[in-house]
Amino acid sequence: MNRVEQLEKLKQSQIWDIIIIGGGANGLGVAVDAASRGYKTLLLEAVDFAKGTSSRSTKLVHGGVRYLEQGNLSLVIEALKERGLMEKNAGHLIKNESFIIPNYNWWGGYFYTIGLKIYDLLAGKLSLGNSTYLSKETTLKLLPSIQKNGLQSGVLYHDGQFDDSRLAINLAQTAVEKGACVLNHIKVVQLQKNNNDQVTGVVATDQESQKEYSIQGKAVINATGVFTNAIMKMNDTVYKKYIVPSQGIHLVFDKSFLLGGHALMIPKTTDGRVLFAVPWHDKIVVGTTDTLVKKSDIEPIALEEEIEFILRTAQQYLTKKPTRADVLSVFAGLRPLAAPEKKGQSTKEISRNHKIIVSKTGLITITGGKWTTYRKIAQDIVDKAITAHELPKKNCITEHLPIHGNKKNSPADLENHLYIYGTDSAAILQLQENEPELKEKLHPDYDYTLAEVVWAIRYEMATTVEDVLARRVRLLFLDARTAIACSYKVAHLLTKELGHDEAWIENQLAEFKAVANGFLLKEFRI
């Protein structure tokens, strides 16, 4: 997947069947679905693939235990099916993770065991494993780091865990392999319309060259997540709010805070939310919060009350009490919730079901949804585009379509951090053999090598320091201070590969530092 080649494809004058605005989970899912059906497909992302919400998730592929409790069975059944399909189609990235719910009252063990047995049944043949009631002793043996005072029992269940932005990159590669034109750092600045007020294409600006493109398309899909309202402003004569952003944050700690290799799930915190502590890339990710925010920022910052809430809750359940000084990274993400029908609804009451809107202008907009159901959402959107724009009918084939890199990892694969590249891992090792200087580590404390940076630039369309360290190599999310320390090496490799100058390096380092400081608690910013 090469940006120069994709730009050449864009320049070839043609009318696209489907133009997708937005390169997050939904947009990339649509690109794979549409291209694999044989439609001429173009995807334009203003910044980078999964730059927004889609790289800032809790890293779970799950049916949603909370939705089961709310009685939203249809959403749970759909998500559990999609979880199973994701595990088959992107086996290198989806891991079967065991979760333990510790119970500090006598009834919790029975209540959650029954509920999770139903969860298993709803998954059917795609179940990842059976839920089990655990005694107090077994719970402490499996999760030795949890608070034992008052512990009554535990329940173990299985769900999926994944690397979100790595899956996004692999979806982009899959779409390209199926014939789509996929581009990052190209911003749609205008919707083109004909005399009948029907959308006929877009005007987009390449953020790197500032070149403007006028692009014609039969169906235009707005898959911009939390920025949906901005595209709708271009589309509607009367402004209406289609989504409300809700912020969720996560804190990242060293794995020593949660021993035993299992994930921890707290089903009801003091604010009524679910809290997870999940092993991820040799660290622990703890989250999430749910705070309505007034506007959608490209770089949302965790609020102090959110940080304190997660620290307080983690301290309540863990024997090794995490403090502010232990936070390696904090990341905030905005959920694009469909705007509530009724005033005063809380975020927990707003449906996570996706909603497809076809405007009078023909623009198709997707709101809501979650990573786990991205494939089904994409199928629904393309089906809607076929009917709304009278495209030739072609059936969806993504249910059993392998994603780029798909490989069932063995225990031996998981011992090497390159397992997340799937079938590409051999090519990265070969790159190190061909260019031995690329065997050098990015940082002595981490296994990432310069070869992975070069691979990201040559084959994964990374063009900035942030593209590399945030979404190709996940260092910014794992350890923000270390990511800043590595930024100089990355900037120089980008310059060497893409032909930039010293002024570009200085600018990139300043930009990355500004972003990375948002991943650090205020007293530790550099």
Side-chain angles (χ1 to χ4, degrees), residues 312-450:
R312 257 195 332 272
T313 309
Q315 287 164 359
Q316 193 183 333
Y317 288 96
L318 300 176
T319 50
K320 185 180 176 182
K321 309 293 183 193
T323 67
R324 293 177 71 90
D326 297 310
V327 177
L328 297 170
S329 186
V330 50
F331 59 92
L334 300 178
R335 301 179 192 91
L337 304 181
E341 303 293 329
K342 300 176 218 154
K343 277 193 172 180
Q345 266 184 309
S346 79
T347 56
K348 292 186 283 293
E349 293 171 298
I350 299 170
S351 174
R352 259 48 172 190
N353 286 331
H354 64 279
K355 189 171 163 189
I356 300 169
I357 302 159
V358 182
S359 300
K360 288 178 182 173
T361 62
L363 179 71
I364 298 171
T365 298
I366 173 70
T367 64
K370 57 185 194 142
W371 245 122
T372 307
T373 52
Y374 87 90
R375 189 210 64 81
K376 179 63 169 64
I377 292 169
Q379 180 180 342
D380 291 350
I381 295 168
V382 176
D383 285 345
K384 184 67 79 176
I386 291 167
T387 42
H389 294 279
E390 298 177 352
L391 299 174
K393 187 163 173 23
K394 299 173 184 180
N395 292 329
C396 173
I397 63 164
T398 57
E399 202 164 294
H400 303 291
L401 180 74
I403 302 305
H404 180 95
N406 183 43
K407 174 180 187 283
K408 187 74 175 167
N409 284 315
S410 68
D413 290 324
L414 295 174
E415 286 172 19
N416 185 328
H417 79 285
L418 291 177
Y419 76 87
I420 58 165
Y421 293 94
T423 53
D424 283 340
S425 59
I428 294 170
L429 289 170
Q430 189 59 52
L431 185 59
Q432 291 182 10
E433 292 306 312
N434 296 347
E435 301 173 50
E437 68 277 11
L438 298 181
K439 287 182 182 175
E440 183 190 332
K441 283 186 175 184
L442 256 181
H443 191 275
D445 294 346
Y446 290 86
D447 289 332
Y448 302 118
T449 64
L450 301 189

Side-chain angles (χ1 to χ4, degrees), residues 266-275 309-310 312-313 316-317 348:
I266 307 302
K268 196 155 277 184
T269 61
T270 52
D271 79 337
R273 280 197 59 77
V274 169
L275 189 98
F309 171 75
I310 290 184
R312 257 195 332 272
T313 309
Q316 193 183 333
Y317 288 96
K348 292 186 283 293

